[in-house]
Structures are given as C-alpha cells and as structure tokens.
Amino acid sequence: MSRVILNSLTRERLLQRCVELEKLLVSNAIAIPPTSFDDSCLKKKKKNQKPFDFSKYSQRKVALKIAYLGEKYHGLAMQSSTPDTVEAHLLAALLKTKLIEKDFATAQYSRSGRTDKGVSAFGQVVSLYVRSAEPKQDTQEEGGELKKKKAKVAKDINYVKMLNGVLPLDIRVIDWAPVDKEFDARFSCTARHYKYFFHKETHDIDVCSSIAIFPPPHPLLLLSSSSACSCRVMYILDLRQ
C-alpha cells in the first residue's frame, strides 16, 4: 500500500487495517515482534528533594473557623481507637501543607468544643501556631550591637485555600484570623450555639415546649457528669416544628 493511499485513510480505517494485518500474521504463524521504544524521555527525573526547613520561617498564632458534615466521622476529637475523626484529617492536612512540623501538642492546638460521632458543625473554632509567610529575621553583630536584618515580608499564606486543597470535601476551613498569644479557642470561648433535631414521633412536642416557658437558666437543662464538673446552662431555648 502506497504512502499516498495511507495518507488518504482515516484514523479508524488505519486502525482497522492494522488489526487485519495482525490477524493475517497470526494465521500464518508469523511471530509479531514486540513494540519497544525508549520511554526515558517520558520519565521525569526526580530531583533530590530537600526536607522542609521550618527553622527558616516564623510562626504565628491563628484561629481557624471550620465546618464539617459529621455523618461518616467518629466525632471531632482525635482518638487512638479510630483514625477516622475530623481532627485526624485536619492534622494530616496541616502536616501535608507544612503548616505545622510535628503534632497538635507542639502547635499548642486548642478547640472551642467537641462533637460526637455523626454530629456536624458549621462554626467550629480551633487555635494553633502555624507557619507564617514571613521569614525569620536574622541578627548580626555590628560594633558590639545586635542589629536585625530586614527581611522581605511575603504576603500572608492563604490558609483557607491551602488546607481546603487537601482536606476531604465534607471538611472545610471557611475562615481564619490572626490572634494574640493569650487567645485559646477553648478558654476564650464565651458561648456556644447548638441545634438539636429530634423525630417528632418519639417526642412530645407539648412537653418540650412547656420547658421553654421557664425563665433562664432552664432548670431541667443543667448538664453535669459529676459534682466537680461545671454545669452547662441553656439561656435560650427555641423550639420549632
């Protein structure tokens, strides 16, 4: 078959012709040589990646506002018995993006509250120290005095975009803010907002509504696991059907 004829064939016809020729070779017991080519050009040489040097960067304390659907997770807090918690995924994302070096303890991590298995949250707040875009300022001695070298200050790291790029789709960082060293997501929290959903068939709505007429704090809603534990007091109770 001439080159002119081959050039006139469509891609589909060329493929069909190749199959026909292969069948012909097989039927005549002619060995088909294996196709081989040098694929070294397709393989990118891996460069020797240097370990990330955290000592070159300063740290800052931030608060992260997180939302998550807890249906398939075993709660927020990390547990040794199961890796499938919201915090386990958050820690993995922080390590992968090199925002923290080791673990929650060294990052002085704190959460504003906990949620149990299957419970969702849309305004959970955590605080911790993370890597900053600003390099550490070196000091040098000149004439017996220590002077700081001025370093170029880079733009703030987009923590929201960076973390959401590696987190599961049902765990989202929706905002962040710089905070002072004294801020603690747990102990600086002044109030929490909960929403509970109950099946109407298994609860007496009239009885539940009667509780709401008591002036706050509602005496039937004081929750304590022990006498030494401080009580949780519900000041606002809004029941809707």
Side-chain angles (χ1 to χ4, degrees), residues 18 45 71 97 111 120 134 156 178 184-185 198 206 208 217:
C18 289
K45 294 182 178 180
E71 182 178 0
T97 54
R111 68 178 84 87
S120 301
E134 183 178 353
D156 281 333
D184 185 281
F198 303 97
D206 292 333
C208 293

Side-chain angles (χ1 to χ4, degrees), residues 63-70 72-73 76 85-87 89-90 93-94 97 109 120-126 158-176:
L64 302 177
K65 189 176 183 181
I66 303 171
Y68 52 86
L69 300 176
K72 68 178 185 181
Y73 298 108
L76 167 68
T85 64
V86 175
E87 282 186 348
H89 288 280
L90 179 59
L94 289 164
T97 54
Y109 174 89
S120 301
F122 301 101
Q124 182 70 262
V125 176
V126 302
N158 191 334
Y159 298 110
V160 174
K161 183 178 180 180
M162 184 178 287
L163 289 170
N164 285 340
V166 295
L167 280 168
L169 292 178
D170 49 7
I171 303 176
R172 298 285 89 181
V173 177
I174 56 180
D175 205 356
W176 76 275

Side-chain angles (χ1 to χ4, degrees), residues 16-28:
Q16 183 182 357
R17 183 60 178 158
C18 289
V19 172
E20 292 172 353
L21 291 173
E22 185 177 351
K23 289 181 179 179
L24 182 62
L25 290 172
V26 172
S27 64
N28 289 288

Side-chain angles (χ1 to χ4, degrees), residues 129-149:
Y129 279 93
V130 293
R131 172 172 58 89
S132 170
E134 183 178 353
K136 281 187 176 179
Q137 291 183 330
D138 296 328
T139 57
Q140 60 182 358
E141 189 171 352
E142 291 183 3
E145 295 182 358
L146 288 176
K147 294 185 178 181
K148 290 185 177 180
K149 290 182 180 179

Side-chain angles (χ1 to χ4, degrees), residues 44 60 65 135 181:
K44 294 182 179 180
R60 70 190 310 179
K65 189 176 183 181
K181 296 180 180 179

